């Protein structure tokens, strides 16, 4: 029991360090651009919420070590917190586009790093996969909010689609069934961030940005539609899915991180 408490204390320390680094980044951004109260408040709420949720998750997961892959994901989360604060601040003053794009680009580039680190170090876990997915989803949501101020509220469909899917699963449990690994799904997910980043950078003409984001939304609708259709067919014909398949699919997803 004492050993378990020691491991838990170390894990909690790592999540606390992440929150501390988040606050440090906010301080740096605040001094660099004179971030207003809305940006500060949003960034602090993000830091506290991330710390609270992650602390509870690592306690329940009973991990022996936080692991290098989760540290990379935690670093990405800190960058996403900075992007979130800048986007919130942009509603009060002109956003520092270069800084926002730089933080977003690094966060997107690191997206594939944590998975590679997990595979090479043999530290893949369900918690790590979920943490990585939630960081990705929230970054897309924040970017869609930012781009929506330029192209219109319809862009929010990109960031909100995954959360709408999760909400729908509460009323339709068949949506919670595990999906088979899909390279197309992963590609479409990655494309969303890149397309929103391109539009948010404001380097291309307005019609081009509009086309890029529309293509991103179209690919996302196709991806979600294909997955929902697969889940519906599987729910209606459960005999086609072996009882052991959910565990096999989880193992495949973790291996693909």
């Amino acid at each position: 029991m004492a050993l378990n408490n020691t491991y838990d204390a170390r894990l909690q320390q790592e999540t606390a360090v992440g929150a501390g680094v988040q606050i440090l980044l906010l301080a740096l951004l605040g001094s660099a651009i004179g971030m207003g109260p809305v940006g500060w408040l949003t960034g602090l709420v993000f830091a506290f919420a991330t710390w609270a949720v992650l602390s509870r998750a690592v306690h329940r997961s009973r991990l022996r070590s936080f692991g290098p892959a989760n540290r990379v994901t935690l670093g990405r989360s800190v960058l996403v917190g900075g992007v979130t604060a800048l986007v919130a601040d942009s509603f009060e003053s002109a956003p520092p586009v270069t800084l926002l794009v730089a933080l977003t680009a690094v966060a997107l580039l690191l997206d594939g790093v944590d998975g590679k680190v997990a595979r090479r170090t043999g530290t893949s876990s369900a918690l790590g996969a979920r943490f990585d997915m939630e960081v990705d989803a929230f970054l897309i949501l924040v970017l869609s909010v930012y781009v929506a101020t330029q192209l219109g509220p319809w862009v929010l469909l990109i960031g909100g689609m995954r959360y709408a899917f999760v909400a729908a699963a509460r009323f339709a449990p068949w949506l919670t069934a595990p999906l088979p690994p899909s390279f197309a799904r992963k590609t479409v997910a990655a494309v969303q961030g890149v397309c929103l980043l391109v539009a948010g950078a404001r380097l291309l003409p307005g019609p081009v940005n509009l086309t890029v984001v529309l293509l991103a939304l179209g690919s996302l609708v196709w991806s979600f539609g294909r997955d929902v259709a697969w889940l519906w067919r599987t729910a209606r014909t459960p005999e086609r899915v072996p009882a052991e398949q959910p565990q096999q699919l989880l193992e495949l997803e973790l291996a693909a991180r």
Side-chain angles (χ1 to χ4, degrees):
M1 180 65 70
L3 185 60
N4 288 337
N5 290 338
T6 299
Y7 283 129
D8 188 65
R10 290 178 180 175
L11 292 172
Q12 299 301 330
Q13 288 175 0
E14 298 224 31
T15 61
V17 168
V21 174
Q22 180 72 82
I23 294 173
L24 176 60
L25 176 60
L26 292 175
L28 293 174
L29 294 175
S31 62
I33 67 171
M35 191 161 58
V38 173
W40 265 104
L41 179 60
T42 304
L44 290 174
V45 169
F46 179 90
F48 177 78
T50 301
W51 168 78
V53 173
L54 188 57
S55 294
R56 182 181 180 185
V58 297
H59 175 71
R60 295 177 64 180
S61 68
R62 299 184 181 276
L63 290 177
R64 299 288 293 270
S65 171
F66 196 66
N70 286 332
R71 294 189 186 103
V72 174
T73 308
L74 185 58
R76 290 179 52 233
S77 175
V78 170
L79 295 175
V80 172
V83 173
T84 302
L86 292 177
V87 170
D89 190 64
S90 70
F91 287 92
E92 287 191 324
S93 59
V97 177
T98 301
L99 183 57
L100 191 150
V101 168
L103 291 178
T104 302
V106 175
L108 290 174
L109 288 173
L110 288 176
D111 186 23
V113 174
D114 45 12
K116 292 180 180 179
V117 171
R119 289 192 296 273
R120 291 180 179 179
T121 59
T123 55
S124 296
S125 67
L127 172 63
R130 181 64 181 270
F131 186 24
D132 179 56
M133 180 177 63
E134 295 299 339
V135 171
D136 290 344
F138 194 79
L139 176 58
I140 298 303
L141 176 62
V142 171
L143 290 177
S144 67
V145 170
Y146 178 63
V147 176
T149 61
Q150 307 169 38
L151 300 180
W154 61 269
V155 182
L156 296 175
L157 291 172
I158 294 178
M161 198 170 301
R162 187 257 175 182
Y163 294 98
F165 180 86
V166 173
R170 291 183 175 271
F171 303 96
W174 54 271
L175 290 172
T176 62
L179 288 162
S182 169
F183 178 76
R185 186 188 309 120
K186 293 179 181 295
T187 301
V188 169
V191 163
Q192 305 307 307
V194 174
C195 290
L196 290 172
L197 176 61
V198 169
R202 304 179 182 180
L203 297 177
L204 301 175
V208 177
N209 286 333
L210 176 62
T211 301
V212 168
V213 178
L214 282 173
L215 288 174
L217 177 59
S219 66
L220 191 62
V221 170
W222 168 81
S223 180
F224 268 97
R226 187 186 67 158
D227 287 345
V228 169
W230 187 91
L231 290 169
W232 173 250
R233 290 195 303 269
T234 302
R236 297 188 65 183
T237 55
E239 67 277 3
R240 295 183 182 179
V241 184
E244 69 275 16
Q245 189 172 8
Q247 180 61 33
Q248 294 174 345
L249 294 179
L250 175 60
E251 293 173 354
L252 288 171
E253 287 286 2
L254 293 178
R257 278 191 72 214

